[in-house]
Amino acid sequence: MTSTQHLQYQLELIKLERAADLDQYRQKVLLRSLTQRVIEGVTWYPVKVVRDYVGTGERTIIEVERLHPSDKPHSFQSGKSVNIFCNAFGKPEKQHLQGVINYVHNNTLVITINPDELPEWMDDGKLGVDVMFDEMSYKEMEYALKSVSQAQGNRIAELRELFLGATPVLSQAVEVLPAPQLNQSQQAALQQVLAAQDLAFIHGPPGTGKTTTLVQAILQTQRIEGQVLVSTPSNAAIDLLVEKLSEQGLNVVRIGHPARVTDQTLTKTLDARIATHAHYAELRALRKRIEKIRSEASKFKRTFGHHEREHRRLLKEEVKLLKSDADMLEFYIVNDVLQHAQAICCTLVGASHPVLRGRKFKTVFIDEAAQSLEAACWIPMLRAQRVILAGDHCQLPPTIKSNEAAKAGLAITLFERGIEKHPQAASLLQIQYRMHEAIMKFSSQWFYDGKLIAHPSVKAGLLKPHQQPVEFIDTAGCGFTEKQDPETLSRYNEEEAALVISETEKLVADYGVDEWNEQQITLGIITPYRAQVDYLNKLAAASSILEPLGTLITIHTVDAFQGQERDAIVISFVRSNDKAEVGFLADIRRTNVAMTRARKKLLLIGDSATLAAHPFYEALLNYVQQNGFYKSAFEV
């Protein structure tokens, strides 16, 4: 299909995804009773306001606390939009206000709200908080796809044909400043980025220093161009880059709602920069004057004479003039802040922020591009002449709610399409600084053509001397059977979970519990299924060896470990059935992520009779057997 046909098809897939997302939201929130929503974890009720205060950018912040504390899973997380309601009169839809979560801690939510002051009904009690549906992201993605599709005779039309058509990429000779902190493959990637006239790809497998390389590429590009746009799909990822770029001395401005950024990057937000601007005191004085006059005008009652009416008219006229002055001054301050920024950083959807309207950049850098929907990537690309994408399409794909849309191609990213179409524009980072060579080797062979090299500093690193870096414990023939949770449909395996905890306890005890604690050794237990996570957490909490180690032991799904690493990783595969169905495990990129989180020890526990039905797991089993890393559960 042509590039425009492809974009039209993407638009239909985005509509499918929006419908699936909205349907899930309706099922969880709109069509359920208050009691059901609380059980589902999409509503906190009842809550009380613990305190309120003015935060960054003169925004009102409230802290609410659950009256009935719970440790059950919920959908609240930083950056999500929420609806605060009052149920005191049985009509919550009449009294509500919207906000954005700053952060969640146990049973407390910190929320930035939109109005300048708290409404009176918040004193009436019976307050609750609902998670809201994110409509804006879909609108911006649809707008971007239509804009790219309709583009003619301009740079965005050329970029469209580069990614989706048959146009070849071009490069030019450039001078690259020495970057001694980069290795040879990182230096080659930097060279390719700077030489690219149109686009380039930094392909960064686990532990290969993708962020380090990207930061250097941004720094050198900024020195040439003066200002760059940097974007990622998530708030967490962009905040990390803001932090790294700031450490290098770059003047960074973070675009986005202050509630969606980490405490470390708050001072880099546009709101914070406005508040420290030389003319901000003047702006604040204007706003105070406006509020004072408004307050004075509102004192007049309906029954007043000609003089009072005329006085109120003059006051309103004055407010109008003052507001015009304040708007002009704010416009100047915002533009002054952005004009002096060396790197403007935002999420992909955040690139549509009104303050960036009309702004163009020579280069946009998109990190985690292999986890980004194609439609979302086009949003910042609409503002750029040149595109640099960084990521790894052999790790986690984008999160997609619609199975139909994912199967139809929504899961294929622009990074993946581009790297396949223009392999000569891609640089593979080859030296990894995280894993023991034996932990790295299978992933390297299967996903990266055997090109990864373990750096000498990690190549032979073990938890204990003479310990095996990799172990696979085979539960085949043990009678372990997976089960399915009737409510969530998630799978778990009780016998395997018990073995996982037992082997983890051995690992800790063999090293020495006190030494483990003193040296702050970290261990992650990863499993693809939420139900198995919950069951493992219960067992770990009851373990006299693991429970005292607290946060040194983390149990979670693969997604929660993306971008992280641990000294030791234990993987529970769960699946064990007569039909040899691997289900969710067929997404082998998730297993790649899970295995490559480990630095010094990787312990895999699963049923070979089930797993070997899939070629990837058959190859993995061959690898552990050939290297002496295999043992049966009967041997432990």
Side-chain angles (χ1 to χ4, degrees):
M1 63 177 79
T2 65
S3 59
T4 50
Q5 286 172 334
H6 168 83
L7 290 163
Q8 188 57 44
Y9 184 60
Q10 284 287 311
L11 190 58
E12 296 307 313
L13 295 183
I14 284 293
K15 288 176 180 176
L16 269 179
E17 174 66 2
R18 181 192 174 279
D21 198 358
L22 183 56
D23 185 56
Q24 283 189 26
Y25 177 74
R26 280 181 176 145
Q27 295 297 328
K28 285 185 173 181
V29 181
L30 301 182
L31 301 178
R32 303 220 170 178
S33 68
L34 184 56
T35 305
Q36 286 175 315
R37 297 200 316 263
V38 171
I39 293 169
E40 281 283 336
V42 293
T43 298
W44 278 16
Y45 181 87
V47 300
K48 65 176 180 180
V49 178
V50 179
R51 66 186 183 117
D52 63 275
Y53 54 95
V54 177
T56 307
E58 302 294 303
R59 295 175 188 257
T60 304
I61 295 174
I62 62 170
E63 193 174 307
V64 301
E65 188 176 78
R66 280 200 268 201
L67 293 176
H68 307 307
S70 170
D71 58 0
K72 290 183 178 177
H74 57 74
S75 301
F76 293 85
Q77 54 184 279
S78 62
K80 282 208 171 185
S81 296
V82 292
N83 183 53
I84 303 144
F85 63 86
C86 174
N87 204 31
F89 304 102
K91 293 182 179 179
E93 71 281 359
K94 297 286 184 186
Q95 294 160 326
H96 62 89
L97 63 88
Q98 293 177 6
V100 177
I101 299 173
N102 288 43
Y103 60 87
V104 187
H105 180 66
N106 295 333
N107 291 285
T108 302
L109 287 176
V110 176
I111 305 167
T112 298
I113 60 171
N114 295 334
D116 294 335
E117 56 185 45
L118 298 184
E120 291 179 5
W121 55 259
M122 290 197 80
D123 296 326
D124 296 336
K126 294 195 174 180
L127 299 177
V129 187
D130 284 327
V131 171
M132 287 184 67
F133 179 67
D134 182 14
E135 181 71 54
M136 190 191 79
S137 295
Y138 290 103
K139 284 183 177 176
E140 295 300 341
M141 286 192 284
E142 288 178 17
Y143 174 79
L145 287 172
K146 287 174 184 174
S147 299
V148 177
S149 181
Q150 292 163 8
Q152 287 183 341
N154 57 14
R155 186 53 175 160
I156 198 66
E158 291 172 359
L159 287 174
R160 177 187 69 212
E161 297 312 312
L162 278 161
F163 275 99
L164 308 172
T167 308
V169 294
L170 300 173
S171 61
Q172 59 194 2
V174 290
E175 184 184 351
V176 180
L177 295 176
Q181 64 272 59
L182 299 187
N183 62 45
Q184 195 174 349
S185 69
Q186 291 170 333
Q187 193 77 36
L190 176 61
Q191 177 83 41
Q192 186 146 34
V193 166
L194 296 179
Q197 289 186 33
D198 307 301
L199 58 98
F201 305 90
I202 300 173
H203 184 189
T208 54
K210 172 177 65 70
T211 303
T212 302
T213 310
L214 186 62
V215 166
Q216 285 303 313
I218 292 168
L219 287 171
Q220 295 217 21
T221 302
Q222 183 276 324
R223 287 191 189 105
I224 298 165
E225 299 172 6
Q227 188 178 77
V228 294
L229 179 63
V230 183
S231 198
T232 71
S234 70
N235 287 293
I238 197 64
D239 284 340
L240 174 65
L241 278 174
V242 167
E243 200 177 321
K244 298 288 184 188
L245 292 169
S246 298
E247 285 171 2
Q248 295 293 322
L250 224 56
N251 178 7
V252 181
V253 174
R254 167 74 156 95
I255 304 295
H257 199 298
R260 292 190 168 100
V261 307
T262 60
D263 290 343
Q264 291 91 328
T265 55
L266 260 179
T267 57
K268 310 294 185 301
T269 60
L270 182 59
D271 287 55
R273 288 294 170 87
I274 290 169
T276 57
H277 193 275
H279 290 283
Y280 180 68
E282 189 182 337
L283 177 63
R284 197 169 182 188
L286 271 172
R287 284 175 175 165
K288 282 187 176 178
R289 175 78 179 139
I290 290 167
E291 286 309 309
K292 188 179 178 184
I293 296 170
R294 272 182 179 158
S295 178
E296 191 179 335
S298 68
K299 288 176 185 175
F300 291 104
K301 306 296 179 186
R302 287 185 180 180
T303 53
F304 51 76
H306 170 73
H307 291 295
E308 288 85 359
R309 188 178 289 111
E310 181 63 17
H311 187 44
R312 188 176 74 160
R313 187 188 67 76
L314 290 170
L315 288 173
K316 284 191 169 183
E317 199 64 39
E318 189 178 354
V319 164
K320 193 175 178 182
L321 290 169
L322 286 170
K323 191 175 183 305
S324 177
D325 289 346
D327 289 345
M328 283 181 66
L329 182 56
E330 185 173 15
F331 180 78
Y332 163 74
I333 292 172
V334 168
N335 278 279
D336 191 47
V337 168
L338 294 179
Q339 204 65 38
H340 288 90
Q342 294 171 308
I344 293 177
C345 299
C346 57
T347 61
L348 299 176
V349 174
S352 64
H353 197 288
V355 297
L356 295 180
R357 203 161 285 151
R359 285 190 174 269
K360 294 289 181 183
F361 301 85
K362 177 72 172 35
T363 303
V364 60
F365 289 87
I366 300 178
D367 194 14
E368 304 296 357
Q371 281 187 273
S372 311
L373 291 175
E374 176 182 329
C377 283
W378 285 114
I379 300 172
M381 284 165 60
L382 282 169
R383 307 194 178 283
Q385 301 289 307
R386 201 172 72 106
V387 184
I388 311 300
L389 301 177
D392 179 15
H393 52 297
C394 301
Q395 294 189 64
L396 289 185
T399 302
I400 296 174
K401 305 281 176 66
S402 167
N403 288 330
E404 185 184 350
K407 287 175 184 173
L410 191 64
I412 302 172
T413 63
L414 209 54
F415 183 89
E416 202 170 341
R417 290 186 202 284
I419 217 167
E420 186 180 327
K421 188 178 284 290
H422 305 291
Q424 75 280 15
S427 299
L428 176 72
L429 305 182
Q430 292 178 275
I431 301 173
Q432 67 83 17
Y433 298 84
R434 176 184 298 164
M435 295 161 270
H436 187 286
E437 188 175 35
I439 297 172
M440 171 203 77
K441 203 166 184 181
F442 178 74
S443 281
S444 176
Q445 290 169 348
W446 187 273
F447 293 102
Y448 308 107
D449 298 323
K451 291 180 179 176
L452 297 193
I453 301 161
H455 189 265
S457 63
V458 298
K459 185 176 181 177
L462 295 168
L463 279 182
K464 283 187 71 177
H466 313 300
Q467 188 184 60
Q468 282 190 321
V470 180
E471 280 184 86
F472 186 100
I473 299 177
D474 188 0
T475 64
C478 293
F480 294 2
T481 309
E482 66 182 71
K483 295 176 184 174
Q484 191 170 31
D485 187 301
E487 285 187 23
T488 64
L489 303 182
S490 183
R491 302 191 182 253
Y492 62 102
N493 188 321
E494 293 172 340
E495 297 93 348
E496 183 176 293
L499 180 60
V500 166
I501 295 299
S502 169
E503 289 302 309
T504 305
E505 287 175 334
K506 282 184 193 174
L507 203 58
V508 173
D510 187 41
Y511 193 90
V513 178
D514 292 339
E515 290 85 351
W516 191 284
N517 224 335
E518 282 170 21
Q519 295 188 34
Q520 294 288 287
I521 296 169
T522 56
L523 181 144
I525 301 177
I526 304 179
T527 181
Y529 295 96
R530 180 77 243 182
Q532 186 80 337
V533 169
D534 294 340
Y535 194 72
L536 284 164
N537 270 314
K538 284 180 187 173
L539 295 181
S543 166
S544 59
I545 295 175
L546 303 185
E547 197 276 331
L549 296 177
T551 55
L552 292 176
I553 308 287
T554 317
I555 304 173
H556 228 302
T557 56
V558 182
D559 299 62
F561 279 94
Q562 171 78 350
Q564 298 187 37
E565 56 189 69
R566 298 289 189 273
D567 293 310
I569 287 289
V570 182
I571 299 176
S572 170
F573 287 111
V574 178
R575 299 309 295 255
S576 182
N577 55 72
D578 296 333
K579 296 178 182 177
E581 291 177 346
V582 298
F584 194 45
L585 294 177
D587 187 351
I588 58 174
R589 289 176 294 183
R590 292 180 177 277
T591 305
N592 183 35
V593 171
M595 294 194 300
T596 55
R597 301 308 95 194
R599 286 194 282 254
K600 300 175 180 180
K601 177 74 178 180
L602 175 63
L603 175 59
L604 309 153
I605 298 178
D607 178 1
S608 66
T610 300
L611 296 174
H614 191 286
F616 171 80
Y617 296 102
E618 183 183 23
L620 175 61
L621 285 161
N622 288 336
Y623 173 75
V624 295
Q625 286 172 335
Q626 287 164 7
N627 288 278
F629 299 148
Y630 172 92
K631 68 170 77 167
S632 168
F634 293 110
E635 299 174 52
V636 300

